[in-house]
Amino acid sequence: MTKHADQREIPALFNVFENDFLIGAAVNPMTLQAQKEFINTHFNSLTSENNMKFENLQPEEGRFTFEQADELMAFAKQNGKTVRGHTLVWHNQTPQWVFQNKNGGRADRQLVLDRMKDHIDTVVGRYKGQIQSWDVVNEAVTDSGDRRLRESNWQETIGDDFMEKAFEYAHLADPDAELFYNDYNESDPEKREKIYTTVKELVEKDVPIHGIGLQAHWSLHHPTLDHIRAAIERYASLGLKLHITEMDVSVFAFDDKRTDLTAMTAEMAQQQIERYHQFFECFREYSDVISSVTFWGVADNYTWLDDFPVQGRKNWPLLFDQDLQPKESFWKLVNR
Ligand code: GLA
């Protein structure tokens, strides 16, 4: 326990939920360095924000750069933290060389499969037994329209079975790791059904998949609690584990482009308290299927939402403020 500026005892966030699920944070070399103690105090699970992505781990063919991922693993080991691996196969942050042959043309299916397997063997193999769960495939499903799987280099070079291959390779590399499909807009009814069907097909083919990651990049306005519940129940009906993998609660609706604020309005702060409260009550209700809740960041002093979708605009989406002090949203979770 540490003390708040107003002398309230601050419980460790992960202790508040110790009977429910793990509480994680996405970290990067900067936050891990500057906020080591704070991270250690409040979180019992860690995800690398960027340093386990393909482009960071294998920028050129056969040249693996593990330094920063290794540092995170060492910190986790020292402090007894669980690690979620993020992420092996994704259409973003993957270098072009993966999909090119030696003449600069498009690589064929076999070459890309070989590279996928080699990457997964090397990365998952390196941390075998140390990473409890991996996001094996990230964001393969479209948000809207007739297509179910998005067009991506993976899908176009390998074909629609690229997902099952990724899961098979990951399972071979570490048979004890829990393997997840992870996506955003996961609570949107249209996309939910696409994710459900995609994962259901994998389960029916006996592909080694163990869970679905709900990214939970949410806001004060979206999605509704009913849609979140429906998504949890639908995914859980597949008999898989669920993780909340990238949670934040933006104070702006996605299409709100305002740039005039230097702090949350009182109304936003109030809504955020209420939203976080409802979300966690809901997670608790489903804690038999939800085993981990990870925030996409540590505190409001650094969040990817400071630049997205409006470049340079500050956002305040987490439970701790810019001085690493608990926000009222935190207290409401503690004193429920
Ligand atoms: C997606 C990815 C994350 C991260 C966020 C934005 O949700 O899964 O790795 O890149 O976008 O920061």
PDB file of all heavy atoms in Angstrom, residues 12-14 23-47 72 75-76 79 81-82 297-299 301-302 320 324:
ATOM      1  N   ALA A  12      -3.049  -1.787  -4.007  1.00  0.00           N
ATOM      2  CA  ALA A  12      -2.532  -2.184  -5.322  1.00  0.00           C
ATOM      3  C   ALA A  12      -3.721  -2.607  -6.177  1.00  0.00           C
ATOM      4  O   ALA A  12      -4.565  -3.397  -5.737  1.00  0.00           O
ATOM      5  CB  ALA A  12      -1.562  -3.348  -5.158  1.00  0.00           C
ATOM      6  N   LEU A  13      -3.781  -2.093  -7.393  1.00  0.00           N
ATOM      7  CA  LEU A  13      -4.922  -2.378  -8.261  1.00  0.00           C
ATOM      8  C   LEU A  13      -5.130  -3.888  -8.423  1.00  0.00           C
ATOM      9  O   LEU A  13      -6.244  -4.390  -8.357  1.00  0.00           O
ATOM     10  CB  LEU A  13      -4.717  -1.697  -9.620  1.00  0.00           C
ATOM     11  CG  LEU A  13      -5.856  -1.843 -10.619  1.00  0.00           C
ATOM     12  CD1 LEU A  13      -7.165  -1.289 -10.075  1.00  0.00           C
ATOM     13  CD2 LEU A  13      -5.495  -1.142 -11.937  1.00  0.00           C
ATOM     14  N   PHE A  14      -4.035  -4.614  -8.607  1.00  0.00           N
ATOM     15  CA  PHE A  14      -4.223  -6.052  -8.856  1.00  0.00           C
ATOM     16  C   PHE A  14      -4.757  -6.775  -7.621  1.00  0.00           C
ATOM     17  O   PHE A  14      -5.449  -7.776  -7.741  1.00  0.00           O
ATOM     18  CB  PHE A  14      -2.973  -6.714  -9.440  1.00  0.00           C
ATOM     19  CG  PHE A  14      -1.835  -6.957  -8.494  1.00  0.00           C
ATOM     20  CD1 PHE A  14      -1.866  -8.033  -7.613  1.00  0.00           C
ATOM     21  CD2 PHE A  14      -0.708  -6.148  -8.515  1.00  0.00           C
ATOM     22  CE1 PHE A  14      -0.791  -8.291  -6.763  1.00  0.00           C
ATOM     23  CE2 PHE A  14       0.369  -6.392  -7.676  1.00  0.00           C
ATOM     24  CZ  PHE A  14       0.315  -7.454  -6.789  1.00  0.00           C
ATOM     25  N   ILE A  23      -4.585  -8.361 -13.494  1.00  0.00           N
ATOM     26  CA  ILE A  23      -4.697  -6.982 -13.968  1.00  0.00           C
ATOM     27  C   ILE A  23      -3.363  -6.608 -14.630  1.00  0.00           C
ATOM     28  O   ILE A  23      -2.308  -6.590 -13.980  1.00  0.00           O
ATOM     29  CB  ILE A  23      -4.988  -6.024 -12.792  1.00  0.00           C
ATOM     30  CG1 ILE A  23      -6.389  -6.283 -12.222  1.00  0.00           C
ATOM     31  CG2 ILE A  23      -4.866  -4.568 -13.258  1.00  0.00           C
ATOM     32  CD1 ILE A  23      -7.555  -5.818 -13.075  1.00  0.00           C
ATOM     33  N   GLY A  24      -3.448  -6.334 -15.924  1.00  0.00           N
ATOM     34  CA  GLY A  24      -2.223  -6.080 -16.678  1.00  0.00           C
ATOM     35  C   GLY A  24      -2.122  -4.664 -17.207  1.00  0.00           C
ATOM     36  O   GLY A  24      -3.086  -3.893 -17.205  1.00  0.00           O
ATOM     37  N   ALA A  25      -0.912  -4.340 -17.686  1.00  0.00           N
ATOM     38  CA  ALA A  25      -0.686  -3.064 -18.374  1.00  0.00           C
ATOM     39  C   ALA A  25       0.230  -3.304 -19.563  1.00  0.00           C
ATOM     40  O   ALA A  25       1.127  -4.155 -19.504  1.00  0.00           O
ATOM     41  CB  ALA A  25      -0.038  -2.050 -17.438  1.00  0.00           C
ATOM     42  N   ALA A  26      -0.012  -2.563 -20.629  1.00  0.00           N
ATOM     43  CA  ALA A  26       0.935  -2.539 -21.739  1.00  0.00           C
ATOM     44  C   ALA A  26       2.045  -1.567 -21.357  1.00  0.00           C
ATOM     45  O   ALA A  26       1.774  -0.444 -20.914  1.00  0.00           O
ATOM     46  CB  ALA A  26       0.249  -2.072 -23.015  1.00  0.00           C
ATOM     47  N   VAL A  27       3.280  -2.019 -21.509  1.00  0.00           N
ATOM     48  CA  VAL A  27       4.426  -1.187 -21.123  1.00  0.00           C
ATOM     49  C   VAL A  27       5.369  -1.061 -22.317  1.00  0.00           C
ATOM     50  O   VAL A  27       5.288  -1.825 -23.282  1.00  0.00           O
ATOM     51  CB  VAL A  27       5.183  -1.789 -19.922  1.00  0.00           C
ATOM     52  CG1 VAL A  27       4.273  -1.893 -18.713  1.00  0.00           C
ATOM     53  CG2 VAL A  27       5.765  -3.164 -20.260  1.00  0.00           C
ATOM     54  N   ASN A  28       6.241  -0.082 -22.237  1.00  0.00           N
ATOM     55  CA  ASN A  28       7.278   0.089 -23.266  1.00  0.00           C
ATOM     56  C   ASN A  28       8.574   0.426 -22.544  1.00  0.00           C
ATOM     57  O   ASN A  28       8.576   0.642 -21.319  1.00  0.00           O
ATOM     58  CB  ASN A  28       6.841   1.161 -24.284  1.00  0.00           C
ATOM     59  CG  ASN A  28       6.598   2.506 -23.621  1.00  0.00           C
ATOM     60  OD1 ASN A  28       7.415   2.967 -22.812  1.00  0.00           O
ATOM     61  ND2 ASN A  28       5.491   3.153 -23.955  1.00  0.00           N
ATOM     62  N   PRO A  29       9.700   0.469 -23.245  1.00  0.00           N
ATOM     63  CA  PRO A  29      10.970   0.684 -22.555  1.00  0.00           C
ATOM     64  C   PRO A  29      10.984   1.967 -21.725  1.00  0.00           C
ATOM     65  O   PRO A  29      11.563   2.022 -20.641  1.00  0.00           O
ATOM     66  CB  PRO A  29      11.981   0.757 -23.709  1.00  0.00           C
ATOM     67  CG  PRO A  29      11.366  -0.082 -24.785  1.00  0.00           C
ATOM     68  CD  PRO A  29       9.887   0.162 -24.677  1.00  0.00           C
ATOM     69  N   MET A  30      10.266   2.990 -22.201  1.00  0.00           N
ATOM     70  CA  MET A  30      10.246   4.265 -21.478  1.00  0.00           C
ATOM     71  C   MET A  30       9.453   4.151 -20.169  1.00  0.00           C
ATOM     72  O   MET A  30       9.950   4.510 -19.102  1.00  0.00           O
ATOM     73  CB  MET A  30       9.643   5.320 -22.411  1.00  0.00           C
ATOM     74  CG  MET A  30       9.751   6.737 -21.958  1.00  0.00           C
ATOM     75  SD  MET A  30       8.173   7.460 -21.438  1.00  0.00           S
ATOM     76  CE  MET A  30       7.022   7.155 -22.760  1.00  0.00           C
ATOM     77  N   THR A  31       8.233   3.605 -20.243  1.00  0.00           N
ATOM     78  CA  THR A  31       7.441   3.520 -19.005  1.00  0.00           C
ATOM     79  C   THR A  31       8.049   2.488 -18.047  1.00  0.00           C
ATOM     80  O   THR A  31       8.039   2.687 -16.834  1.00  0.00           O
ATOM     81  CB  THR A  31       5.955   3.160 -19.276  1.00  0.00           C
ATOM     82  OG1 THR A  31       5.868   1.943 -20.032  1.00  0.00           O
ATOM     83  CG2 THR A  31       5.255   4.260 -20.045  1.00  0.00           C
ATOM     84  N   LEU A  32       8.616   1.442 -18.613  1.00  0.00           N
ATOM     85  CA  LEU A  32       9.210   0.419 -17.758  1.00  0.00           C
ATOM     86  C   LEU A  32      10.405   0.979 -16.985  1.00  0.00           C
ATOM     87  O   LEU A  32      10.642   0.626 -15.830  1.00  0.00           O
ATOM     88  CB  LEU A  32       9.645  -0.775 -18.615  1.00  0.00           C
ATOM     89  CG  LEU A  32       9.786  -2.100 -17.892  1.00  0.00           C
ATOM     90  CD1 LEU A  32       8.513  -2.473 -17.146  1.00  0.00           C
ATOM     91  CD2 LEU A  32      10.129  -3.206 -18.892  1.00  0.00           C
ATOM     92  N   GLN A  33      11.116   1.881 -17.615  1.00  0.00           N
ATOM     93  CA  GLN A  33      12.260   2.511 -16.976  1.00  0.00           C
ATOM     94  C   GLN A  33      11.802   3.549 -15.943  1.00  0.00           C
ATOM     95  O   GLN A  33      12.183   3.504 -14.780  1.00  0.00           O
ATOM     96  CB  GLN A  33      13.120   3.174 -18.071  1.00  0.00           C
ATOM     97  CG  GLN A  33      14.312   3.959 -17.570  1.00  0.00           C
ATOM     98  CD  GLN A  33      15.287   3.053 -16.854  1.00  0.00           C
ATOM     99  OE1 GLN A  33      15.481   1.894 -17.256  1.00  0.00           O
ATOM    100  NE2 GLN A  33      15.881   3.553 -15.779  1.00  0.00           N
ATOM    101  N   ALA A  34      10.917   4.455 -16.394  1.00  0.00           N
ATOM    102  CA  ALA A  34      10.555   5.595 -15.542  1.00  0.00           C
ATOM    103  C   ALA A  34       9.550   5.232 -14.450  1.00  0.00           C
ATOM    104  O   ALA A  34       9.472   5.914 -13.425  1.00  0.00           O
ATOM    105  CB  ALA A  34      10.000   6.728 -16.404  1.00  0.00           C
ATOM    106  N   GLN A  35       8.761   4.181 -14.659  1.00  0.00           N
ATOM    107  CA  GLN A  35       7.681   3.893 -13.717  1.00  0.00           C
ATOM    108  C   GLN A  35       7.753   2.476 -13.178  1.00  0.00           C
ATOM    109  O   GLN A  35       6.721   1.859 -12.874  1.00  0.00           O
ATOM    110  CB  GLN A  35       6.329   4.142 -14.431  1.00  0.00           C
ATOM    111  CG  GLN A  35       6.126   5.610 -14.738  1.00  0.00           C
ATOM    112  CD  GLN A  35       5.144   5.857 -15.873  1.00  0.00           C
ATOM    113  OE1 GLN A  35       5.207   6.886 -16.514  1.00  0.00           O
ATOM    114  NE2 GLN A  35       4.249   4.941 -16.130  1.00  0.00           N
ATOM    115  N   LYS A  36       8.976   1.993 -13.050  1.00  0.00           N
ATOM    116  CA  LYS A  36       9.194   0.603 -12.613  1.00  0.00           C
ATOM    117  C   LYS A  36       8.427   0.238 -11.348  1.00  0.00           C
ATOM    118  O   LYS A  36       7.670  -0.727 -11.312  1.00  0.00           O
ATOM    119  CB  LYS A  36      10.694   0.434 -12.318  1.00  0.00           C
ATOM    120  CG  LYS A  36      11.343  -0.652 -13.081  1.00  0.00           C
ATOM    121  CD  LYS A  36      12.769  -0.888 -12.606  1.00  0.00           C
ATOM    122  CE  LYS A  36      13.474  -1.758 -13.604  1.00  0.00           C
ATOM    123  NZ  LYS A  36      13.863  -1.128 -14.854  1.00  0.00           N
ATOM    124  N   GLU A  37       8.620   1.036 -10.325  1.00  0.00           N
ATOM    125  CA  GLU A  37       8.012   0.738  -9.026  1.00  0.00           C
ATOM    126  C   GLU A  37       6.497   0.773  -9.095  1.00  0.00           C
ATOM    127  O   GLU A  37       5.804  -0.063  -8.524  1.00  0.00           O
ATOM    128  CB  GLU A  37       8.498   1.756  -7.974  1.00  0.00           C
ATOM    129  CG  GLU A  37       9.799   1.346  -7.328  1.00  0.00           C
ATOM    130  CD  GLU A  37       9.805  -0.146  -6.978  1.00  0.00           C
ATOM    131  OE1 GLU A  37       8.905  -0.594  -6.236  1.00  0.00           O
ATOM    132  OE2 GLU A  37      10.686  -0.875  -7.476  1.00  0.00           O
ATOM    133  N   PHE A  38       6.026   1.789  -9.811  1.00  0.00           N
ATOM    134  CA  PHE A  38       4.578   1.964  -9.937  1.00  0.00           C
ATOM    135  C   PHE A  38       3.946   0.769 -10.645  1.00  0.00           C
ATOM    136  O   PHE A  38       2.930   0.217 -10.209  1.00  0.00           O
ATOM    137  CB  PHE A  38       4.298   3.261 -10.704  1.00  0.00           C
ATOM    138  CG  PHE A  38       2.850   3.604 -10.770  1.00  0.00           C
ATOM    139  CD1 PHE A  38       2.217   4.214  -9.701  1.00  0.00           C
ATOM    140  CD2 PHE A  38       2.108   3.306 -11.899  1.00  0.00           C
ATOM    141  CE1 PHE A  38       0.865   4.515  -9.757  1.00  0.00           C
ATOM    142  CE2 PHE A  38       0.758   3.603 -11.964  1.00  0.00           C
ATOM    143  CZ  PHE A  38       0.135   4.203 -10.898  1.00  0.00           C
ATOM    144  N   ILE A  39       4.582   0.364 -11.742  1.00  0.00           N
ATOM    145  CA  ILE A  39       4.094  -0.784 -12.507  1.00  0.00           C
ATOM    146  C   ILE A  39       4.131  -2.039 -11.632  1.00  0.00           C
ATOM    147  O   ILE A  39       3.179  -2.817 -11.563  1.00  0.00           O
ATOM    148  CB  ILE A  39       4.931  -0.966 -13.792  1.00  0.00           C
ATOM    149  CG1 ILE A  39       4.646   0.195 -14.758  1.00  0.00           C
ATOM    150  CG2 ILE A  39       4.658  -2.310 -14.457  1.00  0.00           C
ATOM    151  CD1 ILE A  39       5.614   0.304 -15.929  1.00  0.00           C
ATOM    152  N   ASN A  40       5.215  -2.183 -10.939  1.00  0.00           N
ATOM    153  CA  ASN A  40       5.377  -3.343 -10.067  1.00  0.00           C
ATOM    154  C   ASN A  40       4.298  -3.372  -8.982  1.00  0.00           C
ATOM    155  O   ASN A  40       3.791  -4.434  -8.613  1.00  0.00           O
ATOM    156  CB  ASN A  40       6.779  -3.285  -9.440  1.00  0.00           C
ATOM    157  CG  ASN A  40       7.166  -4.610  -8.835  1.00  0.00           C
ATOM    158  OD1 ASN A  40       6.606  -5.648  -9.178  1.00  0.00           O
ATOM    159  ND2 ASN A  40       8.103  -4.574  -7.904  1.00  0.00           N
ATOM    160  N   THR A  41       3.941  -2.210  -8.478  1.00  0.00           N
ATOM    161  CA  THR A  41       2.953  -2.128  -7.407  1.00  0.00           C
ATOM    162  C   THR A  41       1.550  -2.516  -7.868  1.00  0.00           C
ATOM    163  O   THR A  41       0.833  -3.228  -7.180  1.00  0.00           O
ATOM    164  CB  THR A  41       2.891  -0.679  -6.852  1.00  0.00           C
ATOM    165  OG1 THR A  41       4.183  -0.337  -6.363  1.00  0.00           O
ATOM    166  CG2 THR A  41       1.865  -0.552  -5.742  1.00  0.00           C
ATOM    167  N   HIS A  42       1.149  -2.023  -9.042  1.00  0.00           N
ATOM    168  CA  HIS A  42      -0.272  -2.112  -9.399  1.00  0.00           C
ATOM    169  C   HIS A  42      -0.668  -3.227 -10.362  1.00  0.00           C
ATOM    170  O   HIS A  42      -1.848  -3.536 -10.486  1.00  0.00           O
ATOM    171  CB  HIS A  42      -0.752  -0.774  -9.957  1.00  0.00           C
ATOM    172  CG  HIS A  42      -0.900   0.266  -8.891  1.00  0.00           C
ATOM    173  ND1 HIS A  42      -1.919   0.230  -7.973  1.00  0.00           N
ATOM    174  CD2 HIS A  42      -0.131   1.338  -8.579  1.00  0.00           C
ATOM    175  CE1 HIS A  42      -1.788   1.256  -7.148  1.00  0.00           C
ATOM    176  NE2 HIS A  42      -0.714   1.943  -7.485  1.00  0.00           N
ATOM    177  N   PHE A  43       0.297  -3.795 -11.072  1.00  0.00           N
ATOM    178  CA  PHE A  43      -0.074  -4.747 -12.117  1.00  0.00           C
ATOM    179  C   PHE A  43       0.594  -6.094 -11.894  1.00  0.00           C
ATOM    180  O   PHE A  43       1.769  -6.139 -11.508  1.00  0.00           O
ATOM    181  CB  PHE A  43       0.316  -4.185 -13.494  1.00  0.00           C
ATOM    182  CG  PHE A  43      -0.337  -2.844 -13.775  1.00  0.00           C
ATOM    183  CD1 PHE A  43       0.351  -1.648 -13.538  1.00  0.00           C
ATOM    184  CD2 PHE A  43      -1.650  -2.779 -14.241  1.00  0.00           C
ATOM    185  CE1 PHE A  43      -0.259  -0.418 -13.769  1.00  0.00           C
ATOM    186  CE2 PHE A  43      -2.261  -1.555 -14.480  1.00  0.00           C
ATOM    187  CZ  PHE A  43      -1.560  -0.363 -14.239  1.00  0.00           C
ATOM    188  N   ASN A  44      -0.143  -7.186 -12.138  1.00  0.00           N
ATOM    189  CA  ASN A  44       0.500  -8.503 -12.037  1.00  0.00           C
ATOM    190  C   ASN A  44       0.614  -9.208 -13.385  1.00  0.00           C
ATOM    191  O   ASN A  44       0.970 -10.382 -13.451  1.00  0.00           O
ATOM    192  CB  ASN A  44      -0.164  -9.396 -10.982  1.00  0.00           C
ATOM    193  CG  ASN A  44      -1.662  -9.541 -11.172  1.00  0.00           C
ATOM    194  OD1 ASN A  44      -2.222  -9.026 -12.139  1.00  0.00           O
ATOM    195  ND2 ASN A  44      -2.312 -10.222 -10.244  1.00  0.00           N
ATOM    196  N   SER A  45       0.327  -8.477 -14.452  1.00  0.00           N
ATOM    197  CA  SER A  45       0.517  -9.030 -15.798  1.00  0.00           C
ATOM    198  C   SER A  45       1.043  -7.908 -16.692  1.00  0.00           C
ATOM    199  O   SER A  45       0.676  -6.748 -16.508  1.00  0.00           O
ATOM    200  CB  SER A  45      -0.826  -9.562 -16.316  1.00  0.00           C
ATOM    201  OG  SER A  45      -0.688  -9.995 -17.651  1.00  0.00           O
ATOM    202  N   LEU A  46       1.897  -8.258 -17.632  1.00  0.00           N
ATOM    203  CA  LEU A  46       2.491  -7.237 -18.503  1.00  0.00           C
ATOM    204  C   LEU A  46       2.386  -7.655 -19.960  1.00  0.00           C
ATOM    205  O   LEU A  46       2.490  -8.831 -20.290  1.00  0.00           O
ATOM    206  CB  LEU A  46       3.982  -7.040 -18.161  1.00  0.00           C
ATOM    207  CG  LEU A  46       4.305  -6.638 -16.724  1.00  0.00           C
ATOM    208  CD1 LEU A  46       5.820  -6.642 -16.504  1.00  0.00           C
ATOM    209  CD2 LEU A  46       3.731  -5.265 -16.399  1.00  0.00           C
ATOM    210  N   THR A  47       2.179  -6.651 -20.806  1.00  0.00           N
ATOM    211  CA  THR A  47       2.207  -6.858 -22.254  1.00  0.00           C
ATOM    212  C   THR A  47       3.180  -5.832 -22.813  1.00  0.00           C
ATOM    213  O   THR A  47       3.213  -4.695 -22.350  1.00  0.00           O
ATOM    214  CB  THR A  47       0.808  -6.605 -22.871  1.00  0.00           C
ATOM    215  OG1 THR A  47      -0.147  -7.445 -22.246  1.00  0.00           O
ATOM    216  CG2 THR A  47       0.806  -6.887 -24.365  1.00  0.00           C
ATOM    217  N   LEU A  72      11.942  -6.747 -20.737  1.00  0.00           N
ATOM    218  CA  LEU A  72      10.607  -6.898 -20.132  1.00  0.00           C
ATOM    219  C   LEU A  72      10.493  -8.264 -19.451  1.00  0.00           C
ATOM    220  O   LEU A  72       9.998  -8.379 -18.325  1.00  0.00           O
ATOM    221  CB  LEU A  72       9.535  -6.737 -21.205  1.00  0.00           C
ATOM    222  CG  LEU A  72       8.086  -6.752 -20.727  1.00  0.00           C
ATOM    223  CD1 LEU A  72       7.232  -5.931 -21.674  1.00  0.00           C
ATOM    224  CD2 LEU A  72       7.512  -8.134 -20.613  1.00  0.00           C
ATOM    225  N   PHE A  75      12.353  -8.292 -16.145  1.00  0.00           N
ATOM    226  CA  PHE A  75      11.595  -7.561 -15.117  1.00  0.00           C
ATOM    227  C   PHE A  75      10.442  -8.430 -14.604  1.00  0.00           C
ATOM    228  O   PHE A  75      10.185  -8.531 -13.401  1.00  0.00           O
ATOM    229  CB  PHE A  75      11.053  -6.249 -15.704  1.00  0.00           C
ATOM    230  CG  PHE A  75      10.155  -5.491 -14.773  1.00  0.00           C
ATOM    231  CD1 PHE A  75      10.688  -4.675 -13.788  1.00  0.00           C
ATOM    232  CD2 PHE A  75       8.767  -5.590 -14.872  1.00  0.00           C
ATOM    233  CE1 PHE A  75       9.853  -3.977 -12.911  1.00  0.00           C
ATOM    234  CE2 PHE A  75       7.926  -4.905 -14.004  1.00  0.00           C
ATOM    235  CZ  PHE A  75       8.469  -4.088 -13.027  1.00  0.00           C
ATOM    236  N   ALA A  76       9.742  -9.072 -15.541  1.00  0.00           N
ATOM    237  CA  ALA A  76       8.594  -9.913 -15.172  1.00  0.00           C
ATOM    238  C   ALA A  76       9.055 -11.069 -14.279  1.00  0.00           C
ATOM    239  O   ALA A  76       8.427 -11.383 -13.270  1.00  0.00           O
ATOM    240  CB  ALA A  76       7.902 -10.434 -16.426  1.00  0.00           C
ATOM    241  N   ASN A  79      10.013 -10.028 -10.751  1.00  0.00           N
ATOM    242  CA  ASN A  79       8.918  -9.572  -9.902  1.00  0.00           C
ATOM    243  C   ASN A  79       7.693 -10.486  -9.923  1.00  0.00           C
ATOM    244  O   ASN A  79       6.638 -10.125  -9.422  1.00  0.00           O
ATOM    245  CB  ASN A  79       8.522  -8.147 -10.319  1.00  0.00           C
ATOM    246  CG  ASN A  79       9.671  -7.175 -10.103  1.00  0.00           C
ATOM    247  OD1 ASN A  79      10.015  -6.860  -8.963  1.00  0.00           O
ATOM    248  ND2 ASN A  79      10.279  -6.728 -11.183  1.00  0.00           N
ATOM    249  N   LYS A  81       5.746 -11.525 -12.416  1.00  0.00           N
ATOM    250  CA  LYS A  81       4.597 -11.088 -13.219  1.00  0.00           C
ATOM    251  C   LYS A  81       4.306 -12.077 -14.349  1.00  0.00           C
ATOM    252  O   LYS A  81       5.228 -12.667 -14.922  1.00  0.00           O
ATOM    253  CB  LYS A  81       4.876  -9.717 -13.860  1.00  0.00           C
ATOM    254  CG  LYS A  81       5.332  -8.639 -12.888  1.00  0.00           C
ATOM    255  CD  LYS A  81       4.249  -8.294 -11.894  1.00  0.00           C
ATOM    256  CE  LYS A  81       4.706  -7.186 -10.946  1.00  0.00           C
ATOM    257  NZ  LYS A  81       3.757  -6.970  -9.836  1.00  0.00           N
ATOM    258  N   THR A  82       3.034 -12.181 -14.682  1.00  0.00           N
ATOM    259  CA  THR A  82       2.620 -12.951 -15.855  1.00  0.00           C
ATOM    260  C   THR A  82       2.882 -12.094 -17.097  1.00  0.00           C
ATOM    261  O   THR A  82       2.820 -10.876 -17.023  1.00  0.00           O
ATOM    262  CB  THR A  82       1.104 -13.241 -15.733  1.00  0.00           C
ATOM    263  OG1 THR A  82       0.916 -14.049 -14.583  1.00  0.00           O
ATOM    264  CG2 THR A  82       0.574 -13.980 -16.943  1.00  0.00           C
ATOM    265  N   GLY A 297      -1.801   0.712 -21.404  1.00  0.00           N
ATOM    266  CA  GLY A 297      -0.997   1.801 -20.871  1.00  0.00           C
ATOM    267  C   GLY A 297      -1.025   1.709 -19.357  1.00  0.00           C
ATOM    268  O   GLY A 297      -1.675   0.825 -18.766  1.00  0.00           O
ATOM    269  N   VAL A 298      -0.292   2.604 -18.716  1.00  0.00           N
ATOM    270  CA  VAL A 298      -0.126   2.566 -17.268  1.00  0.00           C
ATOM    271  C   VAL A 298      -0.911   3.712 -16.613  1.00  0.00           C
ATOM    272  O   VAL A 298      -1.679   3.514 -15.683  1.00  0.00           O
ATOM    273  CB  VAL A 298       1.379   2.675 -16.915  1.00  0.00           C
ATOM    274  CG1 VAL A 298       1.585   2.791 -15.416  1.00  0.00           C
ATOM    275  CG2 VAL A 298       2.154   1.487 -17.496  1.00  0.00           C
ATOM    276  N   ALA A 299      -0.699   4.932 -17.134  1.00  0.00           N
ATOM    277  CA  ALA A 299      -1.334   6.127 -16.566  1.00  0.00           C
ATOM    278  C   ALA A 299      -1.502   7.168 -17.670  1.00  0.00           C
ATOM    279  O   ALA A 299      -0.928   7.037 -18.755  1.00  0.00           O
ATOM    280  CB  ALA A 299      -0.469   6.678 -15.428  1.00  0.00           C
ATOM    281  N   ASN A 301      -0.263   9.898 -18.220  1.00  0.00           N
ATOM    282  CA  ASN A 301       0.892  10.677 -18.709  1.00  0.00           C
ATOM    283  C   ASN A 301       1.393  10.170 -20.057  1.00  0.00           C
ATOM    284  O   ASN A 301       2.032  10.899 -20.809  1.00  0.00           O
ATOM    285  CB  ASN A 301       2.044  10.691 -17.686  1.00  0.00           C
ATOM    286  CG  ASN A 301       2.549   9.304 -17.364  1.00  0.00           C
ATOM    287  OD1 ASN A 301       1.938   8.294 -17.727  1.00  0.00           O
ATOM    288  ND2 ASN A 301       3.680   9.245 -16.683  1.00  0.00           N
ATOM    289  N   TYR A 302       1.079   8.928 -20.395  1.00  0.00           N
ATOM    290  CA  TYR A 302       1.439   8.419 -21.724  1.00  0.00           C
ATOM    291  C   TYR A 302       0.367   7.453 -22.196  1.00  0.00           C
ATOM    292  O   TYR A 302       0.136   6.419 -21.563  1.00  0.00           O
ATOM    293  CB  TYR A 302       2.811   7.701 -21.712  1.00  0.00           C
ATOM    294  CG  TYR A 302       3.001   6.932 -22.996  1.00  0.00           C
ATOM    295  CD1 TYR A 302       3.369   7.589 -24.164  1.00  0.00           C
ATOM    296  CD2 TYR A 302       2.730   5.564 -23.067  1.00  0.00           C
ATOM    297  CE1 TYR A 302       3.466   6.903 -25.378  1.00  0.00           C
ATOM    298  CE2 TYR A 302       2.827   4.864 -24.266  1.00  0.00           C
ATOM    299  CZ  TYR A 302       3.197   5.551 -25.407  1.00  0.00           C
ATOM    300  OH  TYR A 302       3.285   4.878 -26.599  1.00  0.00           O
ATOM    301  N   PHE A 320      -5.179   5.958 -13.745  1.00  0.00           N
ATOM    302  CA  PHE A 320      -4.248   6.799 -12.991  1.00  0.00           C
ATOM    303  C   PHE A 320      -3.981   8.062 -13.797  1.00  0.00           C
ATOM    304  O   PHE A 320      -3.901   8.017 -15.031  1.00  0.00           O
ATOM    305  CB  PHE A 320      -2.938   6.047 -12.726  1.00  0.00           C
ATOM    306  CG  PHE A 320      -3.119   4.814 -11.886  1.00  0.00           C
ATOM    307  CD1 PHE A 320      -3.237   3.557 -12.479  1.00  0.00           C
ATOM    308  CD2 PHE A 320      -3.202   4.896 -10.500  1.00  0.00           C
ATOM    309  CE1 PHE A 320      -3.428   2.413 -11.716  1.00  0.00           C
ATOM    310  CE2 PHE A 320      -3.385   3.752  -9.717  1.00  0.00           C
ATOM    311  CZ  PHE A 320      -3.500   2.507 -10.332  1.00  0.00           C
ATOM    312  N   LEU A 324       0.494   9.940 -11.914  1.00  0.00           N
ATOM    313  CA  LEU A 324       0.408   8.560 -11.413  1.00  0.00           C
ATOM    314  C   LEU A 324      -0.463   8.439 -10.164  1.00  0.00           C
ATOM    315  O   LEU A 324      -0.348   7.475  -9.403  1.00  0.00           O
ATOM    316  CB  LEU A 324       1.805   7.967 -11.118  1.00  0.00           C
ATOM    317  CG  LEU A 324       2.855   7.993 -12.227  1.00  0.00           C
ATOM    318  CD1 LEU A 324       4.121   7.247 -11.777  1.00  0.00           C
ATOM    319  CD2 LEU A 324       2.335   7.374 -13.511  1.00  0.00           C
TER     320      LEU A 324
END
